[in-house]
Amino acid sequence: MALYFFHTETADSLADEDGVELPSCIAACEMAIKVAGELMRDGASTFWATRPWKVTVTDGKGLILLEIEICGYAAPAFPH
């Protein structure tokens, strides 16, 4: 098992201080998708008013292993 950290950036940046022990990088990829989904579900009301959101996964040494960036843009036809 290896330790993975899931840092998030929404309107606020939150560093994962505890990490999660997972059996593989594939499991970390799956967890990153779950974290991104939870961000979208829980922050739907503020998503459009902020910069792109990000989930960054690092290993125990702080090396970035992967990132998910979540962007949304209102099209010109969107009524304001």
Side-chain angles (χ1 to χ4, degrees), residues 29-64:
C29 289
E30 292 169 356
M31 178 64 78
I33 291 169
K34 289 177 184 177
V35 170
E38 290 171 5
L39 287 176
M40 294 296 294
R41 182 192 66 227
D42 296 342
S45 62
T46 60
F47 174 72
W48 296 102
T50 59
R51 63 184 179 179
W53 291 2
K54 190 186 298 185
V55 176
T56 302
V57 181
T58 62
D59 65 9
K61 296 178 183 176
L63 296 174
I64 294 173

Side-chain angles (χ1 to χ4, degrees), residues 4-16:
Y4 297 91
F5 296 86
F6 297 84
H7 311 287
T8 59
E9 292 180 42
T10 59
D12 301 309
S13 294
L14 295 172
D16 179 359

